[in-house]
Amino acid sequence: MIKKPCACPKKTQMTGRPKLRAGVAAQGGRKRQELGKVCKKNLGVCKAGKALGAKQELLAVFGSAGSGLKISAFIIGAMLADEILTKLEIQPLDELKIHEQVMEPNLHSLRETMLNLGKLVDPLIVDKKHKIVLDGNHRRMVLEILKADNAVCQMVDYDDPQIQVGGWHIATKAKVPQEGGKAIDEKEGFEALQKMEGCLMHIKKGKKGKECSLICSQSGELQGIMDEQKQFLAKKLNLNSFEKNNNGNGAIQFIEDSRVDYFLENGYEVFARRIFTKKEIVGEAAAGRPLPPKSTRHMIPNRIIRLNFRLGYLNDSPESASMHLRDMVIKRVKYGSARYYTEPVIVLY
């Protein structure tokens, strides 16, 4: 008796996650059931901002199951697009308040770049409660110069504790005498700056470690301290204008408050400034008194960059601009032109 060949499909060794192997080997309805389980599992991943990885994984695993399953996989991509779009809004430009003064050279350079590209590269980051621009003050001013009616904004809750405020210190290779300053421990000096007991703290590398000197404040109030900073830096560093001196030649640089040690090790002396509070930032912006340039540095989670929205759409009606924005985001997510970074990145402008 001749045995008939078995009609069962041969077992194929699969690579990948064990939970997904059954979905590949199964047939018909079982594939759909497994897809449903994976979709539910990855729904949380989508909300965490990683839907592109889930989408690609589903397409790779279930691609042979038929067009219906491919469409289901693309639903997950659509969920990411919806998540992005919930963060973005078209806002009237004249309602957006800047919180920092701009630098004229930076403003002119950005204007030329935006005109050459014909696009708003990054959306403005805006406090949704007070309509204050937290990041993108130069972009907002360029749009005003170009007479745009609207702006694309990523709206955030400024009360969210995940949004943190840092600052910029001033680093110089000029040797600055410490006369008039009060010797102080570094930690105590930063505390004194926050209490507005000093306007600046001079930090340099000495033979036995850091040498810190507090430049005491005579006013003890916010506007007075900013005036004292300006006068002191003009006298000691000839820093009469942020625009003229921040020219990238390395003599004077604005540095992140987290990188003081790095610059000290590389031959710089640092003038540390106090970190503004959220309440101060909102209060000064609402009163029409923007802070000096490079006063704040906002750390904002899930920041959207490289949007590349056409400038021409910003003069359409808000409804029309929103439609263009939605179409653009959905198309870019669909074709994999979106990526979620979980690690720190360095952006070159």
Side-chain angles (χ1 to χ4, degrees), residues 88 110 113-124 139 143 152 304-311 314 328 332 347-349:
L88 296 175
L110 181 61
T113 299
M114 288 174 61
L115 281 174
N116 288 335
L117 292 173
K119 296 175 181 178
L120 174 65
V121 176
D122 298 332
L124 281 60
R139 275 166 273 154
L143 291 176
V152 184
I304 298 170
I305 62 172
R306 299 302 178 264
L307 182 69
N308 291 319
F309 191 73
R310 292 184 181 179
L311 292 175
L314 295 176
M328 185 195 72
R332 288 174 66 179
V347 180
L348 301 178
Y349 290 97

PDB file of all heavy atoms in Angstrom, residues 88 110 113-124 139 143 152 304-311 314 328 332 347-349:
ATOM      1  N   LEU A  88      -0.581  68.809  17.347  1.00  0.00           N
ATOM      2  CA  LEU A  88      -0.349  69.933  16.445  1.00  0.00           C
ATOM      3  C   LEU A  88      -1.634  70.707  16.187  1.00  0.00           C
ATOM      4  O   LEU A  88      -2.694  70.115  16.006  1.00  0.00           O
ATOM      5  CB  LEU A  88       0.223  69.438  15.112  1.00  0.00           C
ATOM      6  CG  LEU A  88       1.596  68.766  15.161  1.00  0.00           C
ATOM      7  CD1 LEU A  88       1.967  68.221  13.789  1.00  0.00           C
ATOM      8  CD2 LEU A  88       2.664  69.741  15.651  1.00  0.00           C
ATOM      9  N   LEU A 110      17.725  82.943   9.724  1.00  0.00           N
ATOM     10  CA  LEU A 110      16.581  82.030   9.689  1.00  0.00           C
ATOM     11  C   LEU A 110      15.578  82.451   8.616  1.00  0.00           C
ATOM     12  O   LEU A 110      14.989  81.605   7.933  1.00  0.00           O
ATOM     13  CB  LEU A 110      15.908  81.990  11.058  1.00  0.00           C
ATOM     14  CG  LEU A 110      14.708  81.053  11.195  1.00  0.00           C
ATOM     15  CD1 LEU A 110      15.107  79.610  10.926  1.00  0.00           C
ATOM     16  CD2 LEU A 110      14.080  81.174  12.583  1.00  0.00           C
ATOM     17  N   THR A 113      16.836  81.198   5.327  1.00  0.00           N
ATOM     18  CA  THR A 113      16.698  79.740   5.250  1.00  0.00           C
ATOM     19  C   THR A 113      15.257  79.340   4.970  1.00  0.00           C
ATOM     20  O   THR A 113      14.982  78.495   4.106  1.00  0.00           O
ATOM     21  CB  THR A 113      17.171  79.094   6.562  1.00  0.00           C
ATOM     22  OG1 THR A 113      18.552  79.410   6.775  1.00  0.00           O
ATOM     23  CG2 THR A 113      17.010  77.581   6.517  1.00  0.00           C
ATOM     24  N   MET A 114      14.323  79.949   5.693  1.00  0.00           N
ATOM     25  CA  MET A 114      12.916  79.596   5.508  1.00  0.00           C
ATOM     26  C   MET A 114      12.410  79.996   4.131  1.00  0.00           C
ATOM     27  O   MET A 114      11.618  79.274   3.507  1.00  0.00           O
ATOM     28  CB  MET A 114      12.070  80.233   6.620  1.00  0.00           C
ATOM     29  CG  MET A 114      12.276  79.569   7.977  1.00  0.00           C
ATOM     30  SD  MET A 114      11.438  80.404   9.361  1.00  0.00           S
ATOM     31  CE  MET A 114       9.722  80.303   8.863  1.00  0.00           C
ATOM     32  N   LEU A 115      12.878  81.142   3.624  1.00  0.00           N
ATOM     33  CA  LEU A 115      12.468  81.563   2.285  1.00  0.00           C
ATOM     34  C   LEU A 115      13.035  80.632   1.218  1.00  0.00           C
ATOM     35  O   LEU A 115      12.358  80.292   0.245  1.00  0.00           O
ATOM     36  CB  LEU A 115      12.926  83.001   2.025  1.00  0.00           C
ATOM     37  CG  LEU A 115      12.071  84.105   2.660  1.00  0.00           C
ATOM     38  CD1 LEU A 115      12.727  85.465   2.454  1.00  0.00           C
ATOM     39  CD2 LEU A 115      10.657  84.104   2.084  1.00  0.00           C
ATOM     40  N   ASN A 116      14.293  80.213   1.398  1.00  0.00           N
ATOM     41  CA  ASN A 116      14.910  79.305   0.424  1.00  0.00           C
ATOM     42  C   ASN A 116      14.210  77.949   0.401  1.00  0.00           C
ATOM     43  O   ASN A 116      14.007  77.357  -0.661  1.00  0.00           O
ATOM     44  CB  ASN A 116      16.398  79.123   0.734  1.00  0.00           C
ATOM     45  CG  ASN A 116      17.215  80.357   0.404  1.00  0.00           C
ATOM     46  OD1 ASN A 116      16.825  81.159  -0.444  1.00  0.00           O
ATOM     47  ND2 ASN A 116      18.348  80.527   1.072  1.00  0.00           N
ATOM     48  N   LEU A 117      13.844  77.464   1.592  1.00  0.00           N
ATOM     49  CA  LEU A 117      13.157  76.170   1.675  1.00  0.00           C
ATOM     50  C   LEU A 117      11.678  76.291   1.322  1.00  0.00           C
ATOM     51  O   LEU A 117      11.064  75.336   0.845  1.00  0.00           O
ATOM     52  CB  LEU A 117      13.294  75.591   3.085  1.00  0.00           C
ATOM     53  CG  LEU A 117      14.686  75.149   3.533  1.00  0.00           C
ATOM     54  CD1 LEU A 117      14.661  74.757   5.004  1.00  0.00           C
ATOM     55  CD2 LEU A 117      15.174  73.978   2.692  1.00  0.00           C
ATOM     56  N   GLY A 118      11.114  77.463   1.614  1.00  0.00           N
ATOM     57  CA  GLY A 118       9.675  77.634   1.432  1.00  0.00           C
ATOM     58  C   GLY A 118       8.869  76.875   2.461  1.00  0.00           C
ATOM     59  O   GLY A 118       7.696  76.574   2.242  1.00  0.00           O
ATOM     60  N   LYS A 119       9.494  76.586   3.615  1.00  0.00           N
ATOM     61  CA  LYS A 119       8.835  75.740   4.613  1.00  0.00           C
ATOM     62  C   LYS A 119       9.117  76.221   6.034  1.00  0.00           C
ATOM     63  O   LYS A 119      10.156  76.832   6.298  1.00  0.00           O
ATOM     64  CB  LYS A 119       9.313  74.289   4.478  1.00  0.00           C
ATOM     65  CG  LYS A 119       8.935  73.631   3.162  1.00  0.00           C
ATOM     66  CD  LYS A 119       9.533  72.242   3.040  1.00  0.00           C
ATOM     67  CE  LYS A 119       9.154  71.603   1.707  1.00  0.00           C
ATOM     68  NZ  LYS A 119       9.764  70.263   1.550  1.00  0.00           N
ATOM     69  N   LEU A 120       8.172  75.935   6.919  1.00  0.00           N
ATOM     70  CA  LEU A 120       8.397  76.036   8.356  1.00  0.00           C
ATOM     71  C   LEU A 120       8.915  74.673   8.788  1.00  0.00           C
ATOM     72  O   LEU A 120       8.170  73.692   8.797  1.00  0.00           O
ATOM     73  CB  LEU A 120       7.094  76.381   9.084  1.00  0.00           C
ATOM     74  CG  LEU A 120       7.147  76.373  10.614  1.00  0.00           C
ATOM     75  CD1 LEU A 120       8.076  77.461  11.139  1.00  0.00           C
ATOM     76  CD2 LEU A 120       5.748  76.540  11.210  1.00  0.00           C
ATOM     77  N   VAL A 121      10.200  74.595   9.122  1.00  0.00           N
ATOM     78  CA  VAL A 121      10.824  73.295   9.370  1.00  0.00           C
ATOM     79  C   VAL A 121      10.282  72.654  10.645  1.00  0.00           C
ATOM     80  O   VAL A 121       9.818  71.515  10.638  1.00  0.00           O
ATOM     81  CB  VAL A 121      12.357  73.439   9.444  1.00  0.00           C
ATOM     82  CG1 VAL A 121      13.003  72.097   9.793  1.00  0.00           C
ATOM     83  CG2 VAL A 121      12.904  73.938   8.112  1.00  0.00           C
ATOM     84  N   ASP A 122      10.343  73.376  11.759  1.00  0.00           N
ATOM     85  CA  ASP A 122       9.878  72.834  13.039  1.00  0.00           C
ATOM     86  C   ASP A 122       8.671  73.624  13.529  1.00  0.00           C
ATOM     87  O   ASP A 122       8.637  74.855  13.402  1.00  0.00           O
ATOM     88  CB  ASP A 122      10.982  72.920  14.103  1.00  0.00           C
ATOM     89  CG  ASP A 122      12.207  72.095  13.739  1.00  0.00           C
ATOM     90  OD1 ASP A 122      12.044  71.088  13.020  1.00  0.00           O
ATOM     91  OD2 ASP A 122      13.312  72.462  14.168  1.00  0.00           O
ATOM     92  N   PRO A 123       7.685  72.954  14.112  1.00  0.00           N
ATOM     93  CA  PRO A 123       6.553  73.699  14.678  1.00  0.00           C
ATOM     94  C   PRO A 123       6.987  74.497  15.897  1.00  0.00           C
ATOM     95  O   PRO A 123       7.986  74.179  16.545  1.00  0.00           O
ATOM     96  CB  PRO A 123       5.568  72.589  15.070  1.00  0.00           C
ATOM     97  CG  PRO A 123       6.418  71.378  15.281  1.00  0.00           C
ATOM     98  CD  PRO A 123       7.561  71.501  14.323  1.00  0.00           C
ATOM     99  N   LEU A 124       6.254  75.551  16.213  1.00  0.00           N
ATOM    100  CA  LEU A 124       6.502  76.316  17.426  1.00  0.00           C
ATOM    101  C   LEU A 124       5.974  75.511  18.613  1.00  0.00           C
ATOM    102  O   LEU A 124       4.924  74.868  18.511  1.00  0.00           O
ATOM    103  CB  LEU A 124       5.789  77.670  17.369  1.00  0.00           C
ATOM    104  CG  LEU A 124       6.427  78.797  16.548  1.00  0.00           C
ATOM    105  CD1 LEU A 124       6.581  78.426  15.088  1.00  0.00           C
ATOM    106  CD2 LEU A 124       5.605  80.074  16.682  1.00  0.00           C
ATOM    107  N   ARG A 139      11.384  81.805  14.987  1.00  0.00           N
ATOM    108  CA  ARG A 139      10.472  81.356  13.927  1.00  0.00           C
ATOM    109  C   ARG A 139       9.191  82.185  13.928  1.00  0.00           C
ATOM    110  O   ARG A 139       8.678  82.561  12.873  1.00  0.00           O
ATOM    111  CB  ARG A 139      10.134  79.872  14.126  1.00  0.00           C
ATOM    112  CG  ARG A 139      11.138  78.908  13.530  1.00  0.00           C
ATOM    113  CD  ARG A 139      10.937  77.499  14.046  1.00  0.00           C
ATOM    114  NE  ARG A 139      11.659  77.295  15.293  1.00  0.00           N
ATOM    115  CZ  ARG A 139      11.320  76.404  16.217  1.00  0.00           C
ATOM    116  NH1 ARG A 139      10.249  75.654  16.049  1.00  0.00           N
ATOM    117  NH2 ARG A 139      12.035  76.265  17.306  1.00  0.00           N
ATOM    118  N   LEU A 143       7.892  84.527  10.782  1.00  0.00           N
ATOM    119  CA  LEU A 143       6.553  84.406  10.200  1.00  0.00           C
ATOM    120  C   LEU A 143       5.833  85.755  10.203  1.00  0.00           C
ATOM    121  O   LEU A 143       5.091  86.074   9.271  1.00  0.00           O
ATOM    122  CB  LEU A 143       5.735  83.366  10.973  1.00  0.00           C
ATOM    123  CG  LEU A 143       6.187  81.909  10.818  1.00  0.00           C
ATOM    124  CD1 LEU A 143       5.354  80.992  11.708  1.00  0.00           C
ATOM    125  CD2 LEU A 143       6.098  81.456   9.366  1.00  0.00           C
ATOM    126  N   VAL A 152       2.044  76.715  12.615  1.00  0.00           N
ATOM    127  CA  VAL A 152       1.831  75.356  13.111  1.00  0.00           C
ATOM    128  C   VAL A 152       2.480  75.269  14.486  1.00  0.00           C
ATOM    129  O   VAL A 152       3.663  75.585  14.640  1.00  0.00           O
ATOM    130  CB  VAL A 152       2.454  74.300  12.182  1.00  0.00           C
ATOM    131  CG1 VAL A 152       2.122  72.897  12.693  1.00  0.00           C
ATOM    132  CG2 VAL A 152       1.956  74.474  10.762  1.00  0.00           C
ATOM    133  N   ILE A 304       8.186  67.436  18.432  1.00  0.00           N
ATOM    134  CA  ILE A 304       8.088  67.110  17.010  1.00  0.00           C
ATOM    135  C   ILE A 304       9.012  68.044  16.233  1.00  0.00           C
ATOM    136  O   ILE A 304       8.922  69.265  16.361  1.00  0.00           O
ATOM    137  CB  ILE A 304       6.640  67.258  16.504  1.00  0.00           C
ATOM    138  CG1 ILE A 304       5.723  66.271  17.249  1.00  0.00           C
ATOM    139  CG2 ILE A 304       6.561  67.018  14.998  1.00  0.00           C
ATOM    140  CD1 ILE A 304       4.249  66.504  17.000  1.00  0.00           C
ATOM    141  N   ILE A 305       9.913  67.468  15.439  1.00  0.00           N
ATOM    142  CA  ILE A 305      10.823  68.272  14.632  1.00  0.00           C
ATOM    143  C   ILE A 305      10.745  67.830  13.177  1.00  0.00           C
ATOM    144  O   ILE A 305      10.209  66.772  12.861  1.00  0.00           O
ATOM    145  CB  ILE A 305      12.277  68.188  15.143  1.00  0.00           C
ATOM    146  CG1 ILE A 305      12.808  66.750  15.050  1.00  0.00           C
ATOM    147  CG2 ILE A 305      12.383  68.699  16.568  1.00  0.00           C
ATOM    148  CD1 ILE A 305      14.291  66.635  15.353  1.00  0.00           C
ATOM    149  N   ARG A 306      11.299  68.654  12.304  1.00  0.00           N
ATOM    150  CA  ARG A 306      11.368  68.394  10.864  1.00  0.00           C
ATOM    151  C   ARG A 306       9.980  68.162  10.263  1.00  0.00           C
ATOM    152  O   ARG A 306       9.768  67.243   9.480  1.00  0.00           O
ATOM    153  CB  ARG A 306      12.303  67.212  10.565  1.00  0.00           C
ATOM    154  CG  ARG A 306      13.740  67.447  11.019  1.00  0.00           C
ATOM    155  CD  ARG A 306      14.305  68.690  10.345  1.00  0.00           C
ATOM    156  NE  ARG A 306      15.667  68.974  10.785  1.00  0.00           N
ATOM    157  CZ  ARG A 306      15.991  69.826  11.755  1.00  0.00           C
ATOM    158  NH1 ARG A 306      15.040  70.482  12.402  1.00  0.00           N
ATOM    159  NH2 ARG A 306      17.241  70.042  12.075  1.00  0.00           N
ATOM    160  N   LEU A 307       9.062  69.023  10.633  1.00  0.00           N
ATOM    161  CA  LEU A 307       7.710  68.939  10.079  1.00  0.00           C
ATOM    162  C   LEU A 307       7.703  69.344   8.608  1.00  0.00           C
ATOM    163  O   LEU A 307       7.028  68.737   7.783  1.00  0.00           O
ATOM    164  CB  LEU A 307       6.775  69.848  10.878  1.00  0.00           C
ATOM    165  CG  LEU A 307       5.308  69.859  10.464  1.00  0.00           C
ATOM    166  CD1 LEU A 307       4.663  68.526  10.798  1.00  0.00           C
ATOM    167  CD2 LEU A 307       4.559  70.998  11.141  1.00  0.00           C
ATOM    168  N   ASN A 308       8.448  70.417   8.272  1.00  0.00           N
ATOM    169  CA  ASN A 308       8.568  70.901   6.890  1.00  0.00           C
ATOM    170  C   ASN A 308       7.201  71.218   6.269  1.00  0.00           C
ATOM    171  O   ASN A 308       6.820  70.673   5.230  1.00  0.00           O
ATOM    172  CB  ASN A 308       9.321  69.879   6.027  1.00  0.00           C
ATOM    173  CG  ASN A 308      10.791  69.784   6.406  1.00  0.00           C
ATOM    174  OD1 ASN A 308      11.429  70.797   6.668  1.00  0.00           O
ATOM    175  ND2 ASN A 308      11.321  68.579   6.466  1.00  0.00           N
ATOM    176  N   PHE A 309       6.497  72.134   6.912  1.00  0.00           N
ATOM    177  CA  PHE A 309       5.167  72.536   6.442  1.00  0.00           C
ATOM    178  C   PHE A 309       5.305  73.735   5.508  1.00  0.00           C
ATOM    179  O   PHE A 309       5.994  74.709   5.823  1.00  0.00           O
ATOM    180  CB  PHE A 309       4.283  72.904   7.637  1.00  0.00           C
ATOM    181  CG  PHE A 309       2.839  73.083   7.298  1.00  0.00           C
ATOM    182  CD1 PHE A 309       2.040  71.987   7.014  1.00  0.00           C
ATOM    183  CD2 PHE A 309       2.262  74.346   7.269  1.00  0.00           C
ATOM    184  CE1 PHE A 309       0.699  72.141   6.707  1.00  0.00           C
ATOM    185  CE2 PHE A 309       0.925  74.515   6.967  1.00  0.00           C
ATOM    186  CZ  PHE A 309       0.138  73.400   6.679  1.00  0.00           C
ATOM    187  N   ARG A 310       4.661  73.680   4.360  1.00  0.00           N
ATOM    188  CA  ARG A 310       4.799  74.741   3.359  1.00  0.00           C
ATOM    189  C   ARG A 310       4.292  76.083   3.884  1.00  0.00           C
ATOM    190  O   ARG A 310       3.188  76.183   4.420  1.00  0.00           O
ATOM    191  CB  ARG A 310       4.040  74.362   2.091  1.00  0.00           C
ATOM    192  CG  ARG A 310       4.661  73.190   1.346  1.00  0.00           C
ATOM    193  CD  ARG A 310       3.934  72.922   0.051  1.00  0.00           C
ATOM    194  NE  ARG A 310       4.502  71.783  -0.651  1.00  0.00           N
ATOM    195  CZ  ARG A 310       4.037  71.314  -1.806  1.00  0.00           C
ATOM    196  NH1 ARG A 310       2.986  71.900  -2.374  1.00  0.00           N
ATOM    197  NH2 ARG A 310       4.609  70.275  -2.378  1.00  0.00           N
ATOM    198  N   LEU A 311       5.108  77.113   3.679  1.00  0.00           N
ATOM    199  CA  LEU A 311       4.754  78.441   4.176  1.00  0.00           C
ATOM    200  C   LEU A 311       3.470  78.963   3.542  1.00  0.00           C
ATOM    201  O   LEU A 311       2.688  79.656   4.192  1.00  0.00           O
ATOM    202  CB  LEU A 311       5.898  79.422   3.902  1.00  0.00           C
ATOM    203  CG  LEU A 311       7.200  79.196   4.681  1.00  0.00           C
ATOM    204  CD1 LEU A 311       8.276  80.166   4.199  1.00  0.00           C
ATOM    205  CD2 LEU A 311       6.975  79.359   6.176  1.00  0.00           C
ATOM    206  N   LEU A 314       0.152  78.615   5.294  1.00  0.00           N
ATOM    207  CA  LEU A 314      -0.099  79.373   6.522  1.00  0.00           C
ATOM    208  C   LEU A 314      -0.918  80.634   6.271  1.00  0.00           C
ATOM    209  O   LEU A 314      -1.344  81.293   7.220  1.00  0.00           O
ATOM    210  CB  LEU A 314       1.231  79.733   7.199  1.00  0.00           C
ATOM    211  CG  LEU A 314       2.038  78.531   7.695  1.00  0.00           C
ATOM    212  CD1 LEU A 314       3.374  78.979   8.263  1.00  0.00           C
ATOM    213  CD2 LEU A 314       1.253  77.741   8.742  1.00  0.00           C
ATOM    214  N   MET A 328      -0.639  65.782   5.126  1.00  0.00           N
ATOM    215  CA  MET A 328       0.810  65.631   5.089  1.00  0.00           C
ATOM    216  C   MET A 328       1.298  64.634   6.135  1.00  0.00           C
ATOM    217  O   MET A 328       2.125  63.763   5.855  1.00  0.00           O
ATOM    218  CB  MET A 328       1.478  66.983   5.318  1.00  0.00           C
ATOM    219  CG  MET A 328       2.992  66.958   5.182  1.00  0.00           C
ATOM    220  SD  MET A 328       3.760  68.428   5.877  1.00  0.00           S
ATOM    221  CE  MET A 328       3.536  68.107   7.620  1.00  0.00           C
ATOM    222  N   ARG A 332       3.115  60.955   5.438  1.00  0.00           N
ATOM    223  CA  ARG A 332       4.492  60.695   5.871  1.00  0.00           C
ATOM    224  C   ARG A 332       4.567  59.508   6.821  1.00  0.00           C
ATOM    225  O   ARG A 332       5.517  58.725   6.785  1.00  0.00           O
ATOM    226  CB  ARG A 332       5.082  61.953   6.503  1.00  0.00           C
ATOM    227  CG  ARG A 332       5.368  63.015   5.447  1.00  0.00           C
ATOM    228  CD  ARG A 332       5.822  64.306   6.034  1.00  0.00           C
ATOM    229  NE  ARG A 332       7.122  64.199   6.683  1.00  0.00           N
ATOM    230  CZ  ARG A 332       7.735  65.226   7.255  1.00  0.00           C
ATOM    231  NH1 ARG A 332       7.162  66.422   7.245  1.00  0.00           N
ATOM    232  NH2 ARG A 332       8.908  65.068   7.822  1.00  0.00           N
ATOM    233  N   VAL A 347      21.095  67.889  17.015  1.00  0.00           N
ATOM    234  CA  VAL A 347      20.518  68.450  15.795  1.00  0.00           C
ATOM    235  C   VAL A 347      21.415  69.576  15.301  1.00  0.00           C
ATOM    236  O   VAL A 347      21.749  70.490  16.055  1.00  0.00           O
ATOM    237  CB  VAL A 347      19.091  68.984  16.046  1.00  0.00           C
ATOM    238  CG1 VAL A 347      18.510  69.562  14.764  1.00  0.00           C
ATOM    239  CG2 VAL A 347      18.193  67.871  16.577  1.00  0.00           C
ATOM    240  N   LEU A 348      21.815  69.512  14.039  1.00  0.00           N
ATOM    241  CA  LEU A 348      22.618  70.563  13.421  1.00  0.00           C
ATOM    242  C   LEU A 348      21.700  71.474  12.620  1.00  0.00           C
ATOM    243  O   LEU A 348      21.006  71.019  11.715  1.00  0.00           O
ATOM    244  CB  LEU A 348      23.685  69.950  12.501  1.00  0.00           C
ATOM    245  CG  LEU A 348      24.674  68.992  13.175  1.00  0.00           C
ATOM    246  CD1 LEU A 348      25.643  68.428  12.147  1.00  0.00           C
ATOM    247  CD2 LEU A 348      25.443  69.703  14.282  1.00  0.00           C
ATOM    248  N   TYR A 349      21.690  72.764  12.952  1.00  0.00           N
ATOM    249  CA  TYR A 349      20.815  73.713  12.257  1.00  0.00           C
ATOM    250  C   TYR A 349      21.561  74.344  11.092  1.00  0.00           C
ATOM    251  O   TYR A 349      22.762  74.500  11.129  1.00  0.00           O
ATOM    252  CB  TYR A 349      20.344  74.798  13.226  1.00  0.00           C
ATOM    253  CG  TYR A 349      19.368  74.273  14.254  1.00  0.00           C
ATOM    254  CD1 TYR A 349      19.803  73.905  15.518  1.00  0.00           C
ATOM    255  CD2 TYR A 349      18.024  74.126  13.939  1.00  0.00           C
ATOM    256  CE1 TYR A 349      18.904  73.417  16.455  1.00  0.00           C
ATOM    257  CE2 TYR A 349      17.128  73.642  14.876  1.00  0.00           C
ATOM    258  CZ  TYR A 349      17.576  73.290  16.132  1.00  0.00           C
ATOM    259  OH  TYR A 349      16.692  72.806  17.059  1.00  0.00           O
TER     260      TYR A 349
END
